[in-house]
């Protein structure tokens, strides 16, 4: 919960006039008060710098009754009244709705609207919400604040305002392109995801949203981040489209040395899929928000790592210098593979991070955590710089974040479309399988692979393993995918683990991205 001393007084004074200020663009001029300098990102940076120079103030988590004891269903019954949506007086294409406090969302945030360069806090008013069956007997304070907000925009129909982006909880946010459904999330910053200490969750404590003009096709949001280890300023330039894109700039001020920091973190869910099937009586063959980590290294290599739901927490690292991009993707877009008419897993976007500027040396880290069901996010990916963030530094990070749908257009080469595992024995054989021996089957499709279907002898499989022995390989045309199927038999001793890699080549020319996969023998 944010400190409310100065802010409480300000919001109380503005409570009776703030909403009217949104309706009258000359409000400040009418009062005769000289106009201040327009509010800009630099003002958020200054606040973050000042915040970092003082000790972190732990938020007070106690909300007034009955908000502090709402159940999930109670909270879902509180809805923002669409006829009270903000930003409409600017006659731009965006509208803003606010999230109420309660249930898991106990930490108030301040939401400001910037009009003509002047930021004005949005005061809490119960008239903004429909509480459904919830009974709110006593008036709630005007300085209550909100849990977060969301922006709406006509993504799919010029007459319908669709949810475009939502900021809710810690530093989490989600956004959509056309014909997409919410799945994975992005975060402002991740700290100590896989370290020995407890994970720290920085939170956005205040937001500023610029009032869009009539012809604006971009929304601008500023955010102030805070945590025991760091304070920071964020700017989000949001461009709605078929694959909505965010330009993100962050200026961070560490309070203490941060060695385990995740830049541009992404969080997703993987329960079950063809490469990592679990015994289940669920009618759905696949259940996941993302099915792989895609990465383009600084040298230009494209790498695909299928996701798993492991039996124990697993960390995979991909060292690099100045990466060109990485993301958690939902490559499988076929409804029949999911058969889910409620979750719409086949419409979940992937989030692709494209660094702006030089990020230097570090690694893309992938964390996979066991989960028993689809209600838990168990996948995290982020960039980990080689050098820790130190107190006194001003760390500036910029990147582009895209809600990818056309996964086939990410790069021109062939792509991994399936990964399977099986014992390395002939079909129909009843011979007992050796747990030390495993066959990995990889389907590559797209790029120029169809060109080589009539000359498969020109296609070579290039496999490698970090530990163990590759005992057999083969590659053959797959007319069903218009590509090629490769198989790699690997043998490991108990207790060993290995990282497998494979790609297809014709002569000296790589035809596909590089498939990589870990395997462990207990």
């Amino acid at each position: 919960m944010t400190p409310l001393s100065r802010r409480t007084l300000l919001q109380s004074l503005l409570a009776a006039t703030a909403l009217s200020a949104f309706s009258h663009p000359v409000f400040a001029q009418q009062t005769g008060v000289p106009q201040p300098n327009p509010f800009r990102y630099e003002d958020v940076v200054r606040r973050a710098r000042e915040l970092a120079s003082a000790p972190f103030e732990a938020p007070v988590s106690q909300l007034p009754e009955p908000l502090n004891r709402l159940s999930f269903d109670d909270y879902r019954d509180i809805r923002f009244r669409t006829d009270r949506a903000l930003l409409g007086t600017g006659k731009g294409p965006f509208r803003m709705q606010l999230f109420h406090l309660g249930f898991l969302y106990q930490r108030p945030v301040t939401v400001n609207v910037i009009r003509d360069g002047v930021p004005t806090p949005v005061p809490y008013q119960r008239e903004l919400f429909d509480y459904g069956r919830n009974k709110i007997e006593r008036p709630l304070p005007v300085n209550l604040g909100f849990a977060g907000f969301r922006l709406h925009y006509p993504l799919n129909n010029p007459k319908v305002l669709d949810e475009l982006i939502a900021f809710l909880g810690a530093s989490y946010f989600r956004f959509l392109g056309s014909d997409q459904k919410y799945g994975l999330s992005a975060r402002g910053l991740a700290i100590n995801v896989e370290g020995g200490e407890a994970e720290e969750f920085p939170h956005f404590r205040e937001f500023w949203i610029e009032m869009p003009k009539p012809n604006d096709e971009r929304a601008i949001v500023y955010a102030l981040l805070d945590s025991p280890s760091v304070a920071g300023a964020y700017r989000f330039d949001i461009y709605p489209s078929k694959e909505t894109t965010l330009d993100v700039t962050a200026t961070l001020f560490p309070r203490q040395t941060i060695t385990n920091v995740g830049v541009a973190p992404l969080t997703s869910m993987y329960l079950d899929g063809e490469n990592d099937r679990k015994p289940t009586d669920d009618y759905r063959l696949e259940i996941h928000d993302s099915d792989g980590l895609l990465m383009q290294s600084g040298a230009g290599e494209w790498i695909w790592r299928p996701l798993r739901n492991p039996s124990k927490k697993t960390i995979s690292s991909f060292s690099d210098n100045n990466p060109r991009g990485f993301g958690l993707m939902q490559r499988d877009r076929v409804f029949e593979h999911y058969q889910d008419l409620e979750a719409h897993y086949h419409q979940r976007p992937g989030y692709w991070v494209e660094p702006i500027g030089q990020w230097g040396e570090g690694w893309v880290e992938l964390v996979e955590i066991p989960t028993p069901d689809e209600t838990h996010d168990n996948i995290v990916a982020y960039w980990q710089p080689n050098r820790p963030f130190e107190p006194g530094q001003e760390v500036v990070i910029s990147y582009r974040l895209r809600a990818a749908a056309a996964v086939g257009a990410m790069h021109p080469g062939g792509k991994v479309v399936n990964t399977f595992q099986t014992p390395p024995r002939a079909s129909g054989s009843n011979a007992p399988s050796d747990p030390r021996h495993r066959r990995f089957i990889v389907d590559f499709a797209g790029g120029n692979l169809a060109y080589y279907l009539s000359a498969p002898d020109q296609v070579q499989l290039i496999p490698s393993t970090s530990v163990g022995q590759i005992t057999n390989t083969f590659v053959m045309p797959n007319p069903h995918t218009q590509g090629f199927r490769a198989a790699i038999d690997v043998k490991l001793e108990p207790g060993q683990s290995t990282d497998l890699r494979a790609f297809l080549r014709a002569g000296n020319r790589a035809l596909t991205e590089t498939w990589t996969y870990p395997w462990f023998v207990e």
Side-chain angles (χ1 to χ4, degrees):
M1 187 178 294
T2 54
L4 294 177
S5 54
R6 180 175 59 82
R7 188 172 299 129
T8 297
L9 177 60
L10 176 61
Q11 288 186 325
S12 298
L13 292 173
L14 288 170
T17 58
L19 291 180
S20 64
F22 297 151
S23 303
H24 299 284
V26 295
F27 175 80
Q29 291 91 327
Q30 289 173 345
T31 63
V33 177
Q35 286 290 290
N37 293 327
F39 187 89
R40 301 179 300 172
Y41 176 63
E42 289 73 14
D43 294 288
V44 188
V45 173
R46 175 178 52 79
R47 294 189 185 202
R49 184 184 294 111
E50 294 172 352
L51 193 62
S53 66
F56 175 72
E57 294 186 30
V60 179
S61 60
Q62 187 67 28
L63 291 176
E65 294 279 352
L67 300 181
N68 60 346
R69 49 184 176 84
L70 294 178
S71 68
F72 173 71
D73 290 331
D74 293 336
Y75 184 73
R76 287 186 62 185
D77 218 29
I78 302 177
R79 296 178 175 85
F80 190 88
R81 297 183 183 274
T82 57
D83 60 333
R84 303 299 298 271
L86 305 178
L87 306 184
T89 56
K91 301 189 184 304
F94 299 91
R95 298 292 181 272
M96 180 171 70
Q97 298 184 15
L98 300 157
F99 291 110
H100 206 287
L101 288 163
F103 186 50
L104 298 178
Y105 309 107
Q106 300 281 316
R107 176 181 286 143
V109 301
T110 302
V111 179
N112 304 272
V113 172
I114 304 172
R115 180 154 193 171
D116 297 330
V118 179
T120 306
V122 181
Y124 168 80
Q125 290 186 337
R126 65 180 300 158
E127 291 78 14
L128 295 174
F129 297 92
D130 179 351
Y131 288 86
R133 64 178 180 274
N134 293 289
K135 302 299 181 184
I136 310 295
E137 304 292 348
R138 295 181 296 175
L140 297 172
V142 72
N143 61 5
L144 180 66
F146 303 95
F149 71 95
R150 58 188 176 186
L151 297 181
H152 291 245
Y153 178 89
L155 267 175
N156 301 291
N157 185 320
K159 296 182 179 180
V160 178
L161 290 171
D162 304 294
E163 187 166 332
L164 169 67
I165 187 169
F167 292 85
L168 179 64
S171 67
Y172 285 84
F173 58 96
R174 302 195 293 178
F175 61 102
L176 296 170
S178 302
D179 197 32
Q180 295 178 355
K181 305 293 185 184
Y182 276 142
L184 78 168
S185 301
R187 282 195 260 175
L189 199 68
I191 296 178
N192 207 41
V193 173
E194 52 78 31
E197 302 176 5
E199 182 173 358
E200 182 176 313
F201 290 89
H203 66 278
F204 289 132
R205 56 184 286 172
E206 189 163 4
F207 294 96
W208 296 261
I209 299 92
E210 290 198 1
M211 176 73 76
K213 296 181 175 62
N215 296 319
D216 280 354
E217 291 301 318
R218 172 187 65 169
I220 300 176
V221 174
Y222 307 114
L224 181 64
L225 181 120
D226 197 15
S227 83
S229 298
V230 66
Y234 281 71
R235 171 173 174 149
F236 301 90
D237 289 63
I238 305 160
Y239 299 88
S241 68
K242 184 174 181 60
E243 294 188 323
T244 293
T245 300
L246 276 61
D247 285 345
V248 183
T249 298
T251 306
L252 304 174
F253 300 93
R255 285 190 172 96
Q256 59 192 40
T257 300
I258 312 174
T259 55
N260 293 308
V261 59
V263 173
L266 308 174
T267 301
S268 192
M269 180 276 295
Y270 184 96
L271 178 65
D272 203 3
E274 82 269 359
N275 64 284
D276 187 37
R277 195 168 308 287
K278 302 291 191 298
T280 177
D281 59 358
D282 198 305
Y283 72 95
R284 298 168 296 176
L285 297 178
E286 300 196 36
I287 305 170
H288 47 74
D289 290 334
S290 307
D291 55 7
L293 169 72
L294 181 65
M295 174 182 173
Q296 187 184 20
S297 71
E301 181 185 22
W302 287 90
I303 299 169
W304 175 257
R305 161 64 152 81
L307 297 179
R308 306 170 306 150
N309 180 9
S311 58
K312 60 181 179 180
K313 184 177 179 179
T314 304
I315 299 166
S316 302
S317 300
F318 303 85
S319 297
D320 201 13
N321 186 19
N322 293 318
R324 300 188 190 182
F326 70 92
L328 293 175
M329 315 304 292
Q330 185 76 315
R331 184 167 275 183
D332 191 337
R333 322 291 296 182
V334 180
F335 167 78
E336 286 75 15
H337 295 173
Y338 303 97
Q339 291 289 346
D340 197 317
L341 291 172
E342 296 181 356
H344 301 283
Y345 286 116
H346 64 294
Q347 291 181 278
R348 303 290 170 100
Y351 285 172
W352 177 250
V353 177
E354 181 182 345
I356 297 174
Q358 303 293 302
W359 279 17
E361 295 183 347
W363 60 91
V364 173
E365 192 147 82
L366 173 66
V367 181
E368 298 168 301
I369 304 168
T371 183
D373 55 57
E374 62 198 286
T375 64
H376 297 87
D377 284 343
N378 64 320
I379 305 294
V380 188
Y382 49 82
W383 172 254
Q384 167 78 58
N386 257 2
R387 296 183 178 179
F389 291 174
E390 299 287 357
Q393 280 186 316
E394 181 174 324
V395 182
V396 180
I397 300 165
S398 296
Y399 57 95
R400 184 163 292 122
L401 191 56
R402 175 159 58 97
V407 293
M410 296 298 296
H411 65 80
K415 298 163 186 65
V416 176
V417 294
N418 291 309
T419 299
F420 304 104
Q421 296 185 44
T422 186
R425 60 189 181 192
S427 298
S429 171
N430 292 321
S433 61
D434 181 355
R436 300 172 301 166
H437 216 170
R438 198 72 173 159
R439 173 170 294 173
F440 295 87
I441 299 172
V442 185
D443 283 330
F444 294 93
N448 289 329
L449 290 179
Y451 172 79
Y452 290 93
L453 287 176
S454 60
D457 57 309
Q458 297 187 27
V459 177
Q460 296 175 286
L461 171 63
I462 311 299
S464 64
T465 180
S466 61
V467 177
Q469 179 185 4
I470 295 177
T471 60
N472 186 40
T473 66
F474 64 83
V475 61
M476 60 190 300
N478 185 346
H480 302 283
T481 63
Q482 289 293 292
F484 285 80
R485 172 165 290 184
I488 308 165
D489 294 349
V490 185
K491 188 173 184 179
L492 286 181
E493 295 304 318
Q496 289 187 327
S497 62
T498 186
D499 289 312
L500 301 167
R501 288 169 60 92
F503 67 96
L504 300 184
R505 186 176 71 185
N508 293 323
R509 177 168 165 262
L511 298 176
T512 68
E513 63 193 10
T514 299
W515 168 88
T516 182
Y517 201 80
W519 182 45
F520 173 75
V521 177
E522 295 183 1

